[in-house]
Amino acid sequence: MYIPALFRLTDSETIREFVNDNGFGLLISSVNGKFWATHVPMLLTKDKDQKDILTGHLSKANIQWKEFEKSQEVMVVFTGNHSYISSSWYDHENVPTWNYLAVHVYGTIQIIEGDDLKEELARMVKKYESGLPNPVSVETMTESFVQKEMKGIVGFRISISEIQAAQKLSQNRDDKNYLRIIEGLENKGDPDSLEMAGIMKEKRQINIEKINIREVTHKDIYHLQKIGRDTFYETFSGENTEENMQKYLDERFSLEKLTAELNNPDSQFYFAELKNNVIGYLKLNFGPSQTELKDNKALEIERIYVLKEFQGRRVGQLLYEKAMQTAILADAEYVWLGVWEKNPKAINFYKKNGFIVFDKHIFKLGDDEQTDLMMKLEIRTDKMSFK
């Protein structure tokens, strides 16, 4: 198969482990001049000369085995975890792709019978029964029953001539984008994506540092002002005039205003910290402190901001999860927020977390009136779990 050098796997022990873990392979050969494929479990083992072989068996009704007597070359495909990789997870323009693990085995196939076949069946059953509460084995079955069942199958042995293995795990991405891919996979949340994220973490062994989320106190007022101003400027300065940006920053992030907000019992601030440095923050509003709606059954996420340098490390997701934990503990029925209509990254972030647009409102930045999309998420505590 075509394998770019960066994605080629050559370590024999790793390949052996992969085949053992993903033993349900696709056996491909020629039958009457056409390709024929059968999905069948196989075992990777060694023959008497300690050479690698694959063993397995087919139903006798499957005509594929009738060509085996010619000792023809066959191909076996073993596939592992695979997952779609969205280019929206990168910090640059690119195309989507697919991560996957696969092994192709080539060799000459021969039929096995009698004791050789019985031994293959015994090993196969032992492998897959191991660890079950009440395992069965060929050895404990009656001989007459085993011999009767063996009449309905054809065993085979493949003497391996070549193995090609690929593990495409975004090895061509730098650590920042590699982490962003892992975050994207974890946000998808389906079993294949989560498994791929785990494989990628293990393969590169990136030191994913512990990010601490803690509530902001009055002692943090200067840090709160700085992270508020810095993250807002980073996020919006490219789309707004310098005059409007400075006017908004001076009004909304003055020490007086922030002190009043910290004194408000219906508002809460949280820092995201890495090695005691503030890298992001969260602001929540309850009841009358909400910028709109003023609904006692709701929680507003007014701000989730992360320094650009640390985006792609799940910081925003951790702050979001803190907001949802707070909402559930407060028995809120739903969470809502406003997000600028020209901020697709933020809109997509909330959509992936289940939010839907339900209205619009005007947000004034300096003398510029802008439109925010209002989004909400109904809370169903019986379907949510936070660790």
Side-chain angles (χ1 to χ4, degrees):
M1 61 175 162
Y2 168 69
I3 312 175
L6 190 60
F7 305 141
R8 186 174 295 121
L9 176 63
T10 58
D11 181 70
S12 58
E13 289 306 311
T14 302
I15 293 172
R16 179 180 292 277
E17 182 181 350
F18 177 86
V19 173
N20 284 329
D21 290 343
N22 300 275
F24 191 67
L26 182 64
L27 174 62
I28 304 169
S29 64
S30 176
V31 176
N32 297 327
K34 295 183 178 181
F35 290 117
W36 192 283
T38 301
H39 299 268
V40 59
M42 282 168 269
L43 293 177
L44 177 62
T45 183
K46 292 183 181 294
D47 63 13
K48 61 182 180 181
D49 297 321
Q50 295 302 299
K51 293 182 179 180
D52 286 332
I53 60 171
L54 285 172
T55 62
H57 60 274
L58 305 173
S59 168
K60 190 167 285 187
N62 185 343
I63 64 172
Q64 187 176 16
W65 68 268
K66 293 184 178 181
E67 299 280 336
F68 294 171
E69 296 174 332
K70 300 177 182 179
S71 296
Q72 66 166 299
E73 186 178 53
V74 298
M75 172 182 176
V76 181
V77 177
F78 297 99
T79 56
N81 179 263
H82 58 90
S83 188
Y84 178 74
I85 306 299
S86 171
S87 57
S88 68
W89 301 336
Y90 303 144
D91 64 357
H92 58 279
E93 185 178 22
N94 213 305
V95 294
T97 187
W98 210 281
N99 278 3
Y100 65 92
L101 298 98
V103 169
H104 289 191
V105 178
Y106 302 86
T108 303
I109 194 165
Q110 294 177 320
I111 291 174
I112 58 174
E113 300 175 307
D115 290 342
D116 287 342
L117 175 56
K118 185 177 178 181
E119 185 178 338
E120 185 272 328
L121 294 172
R123 286 198 303 265
M124 183 76 71
V125 172
K126 182 178 180 179
K127 174 183 177 180
Y128 290 105
E129 286 285 328
S130 177
L132 295 180
N134 301 294
V136 300
S137 69
V138 171
E139 291 81 1
T140 58
M141 298 176 185
T142 60
E143 183 64 19
S144 59
F145 175 75
V146 173
Q147 292 298 325
K148 177 184 175 182
E149 293 299 312
M150 284 172 58
K151 292 179 181 179
I153 62 175
V154 176
F156 61 82
R157 175 191 295 120
I158 300 173
S159 299
I160 297 174
S161 59
E162 184 180 3
I163 296 178
Q164 298 177 355
Q167 54 173 13
K168 183 177 178 297
L169 303 172
S170 300
Q171 296 97 316
N172 55 332
R173 304 300 172 195
D174 59 24
D175 282 355
K176 180 180 180 181
N177 282 285
Y178 196 87
L179 284 169
R180 289 171 69 99
I181 293 168
I182 291 173
E183 179 182 9
L185 290 166
E186 290 178 337
N187 287 341
K188 283 182 69 179
D190 60 276
D192 285 340
S193 297
L194 292 175
E195 184 179 348
M196 178 57 71
I199 292 171
M200 289 178 63
K201 287 179 181 179
E202 180 182 349
K203 291 298 181 182
R204 187 166 287 194
Q205 297 181 335
I206 290 178
N207 181 21
I208 301 177
E209 298 165 288
K210 177 67 175 176
I211 295 170
N212 181 51
I213 307 297
R214 70 168 179 88
E215 190 165 5
V216 178
T217 70
H218 285 83
K219 295 180 181 179
D220 303 308
I221 186 69
Y222 292 103
H223 292 300
L224 179 60
Q225 183 185 49
K226 178 172 174 52
I227 192 69
R229 291 177 64 93
D230 288 351
T231 54
F232 194 88
Y233 191 85
E234 280 186 346
T235 305
F236 300 112
S237 60
E239 299 286 341
N240 295 279
T241 67
E242 186 67 18
E243 182 181 1
N244 281 335
M245 287 295 300
Q246 290 303 321
K247 183 176 181 181
Y248 183 87
L249 293 174
D250 291 343
E251 292 175 353
R252 299 301 298 269
F253 295 99
S254 68
L255 291 177
E256 293 77 13
K257 183 168 181 56
L258 291 175
T259 299
E261 291 175 344
L262 282 170
N263 286 332
N264 187 342
D266 291 320
S267 293
Q268 296 177 7
F269 289 87
Y270 293 89
F271 278 159
E273 293 179 326
L274 180 61
K275 296 180 179 179
N276 295 320
N277 294 316
V278 180
I279 61 174
Y281 79 110
L282 163 72
K283 185 188 179 188
L284 305 175
N285 295 318
F286 296 91
S289 293
Q290 296 172 77
T291 56
E292 292 196 32
L293 302 187
K294 315 292 185 182
D295 188 346
N296 290 326
K297 300 176 182 179
L299 170 69
E300 177 192 11
I301 299 176
E302 185 179 350
R303 300 179 195 143
I304 292 182
Y305 287 106
V306 179
L307 289 169
K308 281 188 176 181
E309 179 184 355
F310 298 96
Q311 291 176 10
R313 302 194 190 185
R314 298 195 76 246
V315 184
Q317 186 68 26
L318 290 173
L319 290 168
Y320 165 77
E321 289 174 2
K322 180 63 180 179
M324 298 308 297
Q325 291 170 1
T326 304
I328 290 172
L329 290 174
D331 292 324
E333 293 184 3
Y334 64 95
V335 176
W336 74 275
L337 54 93
V339 58
W340 190 26
E341 64 178 356
K342 294 182 181 180
N343 190 353
K345 184 176 180 181
I347 293 170
N348 289 334
F349 173 82
Y350 290 113
K351 283 184 174 179
K352 287 177 182 178
N353 281 291
F355 281 73
I356 60 172
V357 176
F358 71 96
D359 204 348
K360 296 180 179 180
H361 72 144
I362 298 301
F363 174 84
K364 196 166 184 179
L365 183 69
D367 60 9
D368 185 23
E369 290 190 350
Q370 302 176 354
T371 300
D372 275 5
L373 301 180
M374 297 174 69
M375 306 179 73
K376 70 189 297 186
L377 173 67
E378 301 286 344
I379 296 178
R380 299 177 178 85
T381 55
D382 59 323
K383 293 186 179 180
M384 284 191 170
S385 175
F386 294 93
K387 297 180 181 180

